[in-house]
Amino acid sequence: MSAISSICSLNGQPLAVEYGPRVMDGFAKFPADYVGMWQQNDVFLGCHGQWITPESLSERLPSWDEASGLAITADAIIDNRTELFDLLHIHASDRAAMTDSRLLLLAYEKWGNESPAHLVGDFAFMIWDARKRTLFGARDFSGNRTLYYTTTGEFAAFSTTIAPLLSLPGVERGLNELWLSEFLAIPISTESVDVFSTVYKSIRQLPPAHSFLLRDGRLTFARYCTITPKKKLILRSNEEYVEAFRDVFRNAVSSKVRTFKKAGSKLSGGLDSGSVASFAARELQNHNKLLYTFSYVPLEGFTDWTPKSRIANERNNIKATVDYVGNIQDSYFDFPDYNPLSAIDDWLDILESPYKFYENSFWTKGIYEKASEAGMGVLLSGSRGNWTISWGPVQDYHVELLRKFKLITLYQEFNSFCENIGVSRKKMSRVITRKAFPRLSGRSDSQQRGDSPEWIHPEFAERTHVYERLREHGYDFWGDPSQNVYDVRRKQFEKPYYWTVTGKVGCMQSLRHSLWDRDPTNDLRVIRFCLSLPENQYVQNGYGRSLIRRATSGYLPDSVRLNQQVRGIQGADGLYRMLPAWNELVQEFRDTIDDPCIAGYLDVTGLNQAWQAIKASPRPEIVFDNEFRILMRSVILRRFLQRCG
């Protein structure tokens, strides 16, 4: 609920008194309910506080507990409060008003450096232990709150954002070419496989699921959480699985609507955000509160160019969910003044680094702004749902059945699926065969890989050995035929680098707008439950995503709950929005290609080919094409480099 900072001397000498206030000045652009600072000789803690939960209204950080010799600053909402109260033997009369920071201190007193493993929620915190002369801190398992750090010969400094650290003496602003090479070589939104690195050479970050310990001038790190299910959950019936899921999910949603302000939710026409909204609306109704939903719709006049299996405007499905669920105040925004180009500078301001997700940048920015204006304290989402609550890839499940020669089950599921979606069995059997035996089907590795754009300059890639480093970290985007969607899902929870971008976006937007981005589909309890389930709970009777479809019976309308034929695609009108300024956009592409500051990083030959391909053809459907993608990303990178001077 805050931006936090700490500075600790590495040589035992007192800190300069101006260092702490200088770091805190870097948070001044964010709204705050209070600003707190605490310094004791060679250690400083700071907090730019925002109140979100009812308990936080009485919270003033940093806080110092003289009896224990502990001081804390925290950016945290802890979700498993009831469990912790029991484990820590907190008296019933003290529970309701206890702040999350106090709960963190008590957890540290009981479990010490192992305390983060007992926490569920979104958090970054730091605790100064005066008796041990140590600074201890941690970041939540998926990195929903950020924590950057830097070290000099004089001190170690930590901050929620990068800019305050760059303001300190002895901290250089030079770019980190290894990070930049990974950013350019990875075609998806993932930034870097080195989870400690940032775009600046002198600035590092505490990775998701990690803690740090600063003692005797030495900084060490430990990973405290690895999400691997110990065993599969075996229940007696489908109904028992559904009820068990509902209990876990209901608990997660309930903990994430905790705010003294209004509760909001991003809402599309699909299963993930719809499930979150339906459970949240019921929970809030128990407290006589409404759920406010915020939905993006394309511009008026936009013609949907997407294929039959996709839809750009999900308003009808959204409205069906709202009407069915009840206790929802819905709102729809087309953000006529926003587009992917107009949003660039604002995103660079808030993220402090280049980014790749231009497609959804304009409406994501707009949703946060509208939610803040409407007085939301939390803004729910279902961003992680594809890997958790709505997991269930039908074709890949069929492939697994075929490879394991479970032919009777395959026959039943295959026929039911074809009937459900109205596709011929002959056509679908060819798809399954190709997926099951890609080499026998004659498909080359290049066909397996698809057309991932080559964006990075070949010499820059070779000089930085970027592809070797990606392989060392287990990153694979070359389409190894032996890899399947189950491997991809496993890596989503094993490799912290998949989590960093989403967490950073939510954290920075929440600071800017004084609201908290919360995702029940990313709750640690929900993830562990979903990973423990047998695969047949996710694909049943010809339905993928079977568990969530069954669990939302009575929660969502069947038109949304059972839909397997059409899926929404957001941001489809991104290029359409830029058509009035198409010539200016094409010129910025040209200026970017000709700019010598990027020539050593980007494959200019490839950019020229992309520019030639799109300059005279402003068709709305090219917004997701590789050529347009690398040009837009190049503009974003160039503007960032210009800022760095």
Side-chain angles (χ1 to χ4, degrees):
M1 297 167 292
S2 311
I4 60 174
S5 65
S6 178
I7 310 173
C8 191
S9 173
L10 296 178
N11 52 24
Q13 296 300 310
L15 288 172
V17 294
E18 68 270 17
Y19 287 0
R22 182 183 298 184
V23 167
M24 295 302 294
D25 285 345
F27 300 144
K29 63 182 179 181
F30 301 122
D33 295 302
Y34 68 92
V35 175
M37 291 181 276
W38 175 88
Q39 184 163 344
Q40 190 179 77
N41 195 33
D42 57 349
V43 63
F44 168 87
L45 298 178
C47 182
H48 191 84
Q50 297 177 347
W51 294 325
I52 302 294
T53 65
E55 306 81 27
S56 67
L57 291 169
S58 62
E59 192 170 49
R60 298 295 185 277
L61 294 172
S63 69
W64 161 254
D65 183 62
E66 190 166 356
S68 63
L70 300 177
I72 185 171
T73 188
D75 175 26
I77 295 182
I78 303 303
D79 291 332
N80 62 329
R81 286 168 58 89
T82 301
E83 176 191 10
L84 292 174
F85 289 151
D86 292 340
L87 291 171
L88 297 170
H89 307 294
I90 306 299
H91 194 277
S93 62
D94 297 329
R95 296 183 176 192
M98 181 169 287
T99 64
D100 286 339
S101 60
R102 179 61 183 166
L103 199 52
L104 288 171
L105 272 185
L106 294 174
Y108 176 80
E109 286 190 88
K110 180 175 179 64
W111 295 300
N113 297 354
E114 302 301 317
S115 58
H118 296 270
L119 306 176
V120 176
D122 303 337
F123 58 82
F125 67 87
M126 291 175 282
I127 296 174
W128 170 250
D129 191 327
R131 296 175 181 176
K132 296 179 180 178
R133 302 289 300 164
T134 60
L135 182 69
F136 175 76
R139 187 179 177 194
D140 66 80
F141 85 98
S142 64
N144 284 323
R145 310 310 287 178
T146 56
L147 193 61
Y148 300 98
Y149 69 93
T150 189
T151 58
T152 68
E154 180 186 354
F155 58 78
F158 302 81
S159 170
T160 299
T161 62
I162 292 175
L165 300 178
L166 292 173
S167 73
L168 290 170
V171 181
E172 301 295 328
R173 298 184 63 92
L175 292 178
N176 182 354
E177 287 198 339
L178 295 183
W179 183 94
L180 193 57
S181 67
E182 293 174 11
F183 179 83
L184 296 174
I186 298 172
I188 60 174
S189 60
T190 298
E191 294 180 339
S192 170
V193 293
D194 180 353
V195 291
F196 286 90
S197 69
T198 75
V199 69
Y200 292 101
K201 199 181 303 183
S202 63
I203 307 296
R204 308 281 282 169
Q205 66 175 316
L206 182 66
H210 280 67
S211 63
F212 76 83
L213 181 67
L214 181 61
R215 172 186 287 169
D216 298 330
R218 182 167 176 259
L219 191 58
T220 58
F221 302 90
R223 182 167 183 173
Y224 66 82
C225 176
T226 302
I227 307 173
T228 52
K230 295 179 181 178
K231 60 181 181 179
K232 290 294 183 182
L233 177 65
I234 305 300
L235 300 178
R236 291 175 296 181
S237 67
N238 286 334
E239 291 73 19
E240 288 191 6
Y241 282 108
V242 165
E243 285 308 311
F245 169 79
R246 284 177 176 169
D247 287 343
V248 173
F249 194 56
R250 188 182 297 115
N251 190 27
V253 171
S254 175
S255 67
K256 286 176 170 53
V257 296
R258 199 172 106 239
T259 180
F260 70 91
K261 300 181 180 181
K262 298 175 184 177
S265 184
K266 303 172 192 174
L267 182 59
S268 70
L271 274 173
D272 296 328
S273 64
S275 299
V276 170
S278 64
F279 276 74
R282 289 192 178 200
E283 173 64 23
L284 290 167
Q285 193 165 28
N286 295 332
H287 302 279
N288 297 314
K289 295 180 71 173
L290 277 173
L291 176 68
Y292 296 82
T293 60
F294 299 82
S295 304
Y296 146 76
V297 292
L299 282 175
E300 185 177 349
F302 169 71
T303 300
D304 192 347
W305 52 267
T306 59
K308 290 182 179 180
S309 61
R310 295 299 186 100
I311 184 171
N313 190 341
E314 299 182 84
R315 184 170 189 141
N316 289 340
N317 282 347
I318 296 169
K319 190 63 178 173
T321 293
V322 169
D323 291 343
Y324 187 89
V325 172
N327 198 45
I328 292 177
Q329 178 64 60
D330 52 331
S331 53
Y332 306 85
F333 304 98
D334 61 4
F335 306 114
D337 299 324
Y338 290 179
N339 63 60
L341 190 66
S342 70
I344 291 176
D345 289 333
D346 197 51
W347 277 108
L348 291 177
D349 282 340
I350 198 169
L351 294 179
E352 305 176 292
S353 68
Y355 64 93
K356 302 176 187 176
F357 55 89
Y358 71 89
E359 298 94 333
N360 296 323
S361 61
F362 63 94
W363 65 263
T364 301
K365 160 184 156 66
I367 291 290
Y368 281 108
E369 291 174 354
K370 293 298 183 183
S372 177
E373 291 170 7
M376 299 301 116
V378 295
L379 185 63
L380 304 177
S381 71
S383 300
R384 197 68 63 179
N386 284 341
W387 304 106
T388 57
I389 68 169
S390 63
W391 173 250
V394 176
Q395 294 175 7
D396 293 273
Y397 181 63
H398 292 171
V399 167
E400 289 299 297
L401 293 175
L402 178 58
R403 286 173 173 167
K404 295 175 181 178
F405 292 98
K406 295 184 177 181
L407 302 183
I408 295 176
T409 305
L410 173 60
Y411 178 81
Q412 295 169 340
E413 287 292 339
F414 179 80
N415 285 338
S416 296
F417 178 66
C418 292
E419 183 176 344
N420 286 343
I421 67 171
V423 68
S424 74
R425 291 168 175 77
K426 183 177 181 181
K427 180 179 179 180
M428 189 55 60
S429 65
R430 290 196 297 266
V431 174
I432 301 302
T433 302
R434 285 197 300 267
K435 288 179 72 69
F437 309 107
R439 296 192 185 280
L440 294 179
S441 67
R443 296 166 70 195
S444 67
D445 285 352
S446 61
Q447 288 172 316
Q448 294 281 342
R449 291 194 299 268
D451 298 321
S452 297
E454 291 297 330
W455 189 26
I456 188 171
H457 195 295
E459 292 181 3
F460 182 48
E462 184 177 358
R463 175 164 60 84
T464 56
H465 305 289
V466 64
Y467 292 115
E468 292 86 344
R469 284 185 285 110
L470 294 181
R471 291 188 188 97
E472 289 172 3
H473 282 83
Y475 186 86
D476 176 27
F477 57 86
W478 291 276
D480 181 351
S482 65
Q483 185 184 51
N484 61 30
V485 71
Y486 299 102
D487 296 326
V488 175
R489 188 196 193 202
R490 174 179 52 79
K491 286 186 177 183
Q492 286 288 322
F493 298 104
E494 285 183 356
K495 305 294 185 181
Y497 51 70
Y498 284 114
W499 303 73
T500 53
V501 176
T502 303
K504 180 168 67 172
V505 167
C507 179
M508 297 307 167
Q509 287 287 4
S510 72
L511 286 173
R512 168 173 282 194
H513 298 296
S514 196
L515 58 80
W516 200 284
D517 190 296
R518 312 235 61 203
D519 184 359
T521 69
N522 188 44
D523 184 279
L524 189 55
R525 296 160 295 188
V526 171
I527 292 173
R528 284 177 169 154
F529 177 86
C530 290
L531 291 180
S532 74
L533 296 185
E535 285 300 323
N536 64 10
Q537 284 301 307
Y538 291 112
V539 181
Q540 276 189 23
N541 300 320
Y543 280 100
R545 302 174 159 196
S546 174
L547 177 68
I548 193 63
R549 296 185 196 278
R550 289 179 283 127
T552 52
S553 177
Y555 286 76
L556 290 175
D558 286 353
S559 60
V560 172
R561 184 175 70 89
L562 301 179
N563 172 36
Q564 287 200 108
Q565 298 185 346
V566 178
R567 296 186 66 179
I569 180 169
Q570 296 173 315
D573 66 336
L575 190 142
Y576 175 78
R577 293 168 175 271
M578 296 186 282
L579 288 182
W582 179 253
N583 291 335
E584 291 85 347
L585 176 60
V586 170
Q587 184 59 51
E588 183 160 8
F589 288 159
R590 183 72 262 166
D591 293 343
T592 299
I593 295 168
D594 293 339
D595 192 332
C597 79
I598 69 162
Y601 298 132
L602 303 185
D603 183 358
V604 174
T605 300
L607 291 179
N608 267 312
Q609 292 172 350
W611 184 76
Q612 291 291 341
I614 65 97
K615 66 176 182 178
S617 180
R619 295 172 292 110
E621 56 265 37
I622 69 172
V623 67
F624 301 133
D625 285 359
N626 291 337
E627 291 84 0
F628 191 77
R629 178 176 292 115
I630 63 173
L631 288 169
M632 281 296 298
R633 291 178 174 181
S634 298
V635 166
I636 294 168
L637 177 62
R638 180 192 182 220
R639 290 198 190 180
F640 174 79
L641 294 176
Q642 287 174 331
R643 287 165 172 250
C644 295

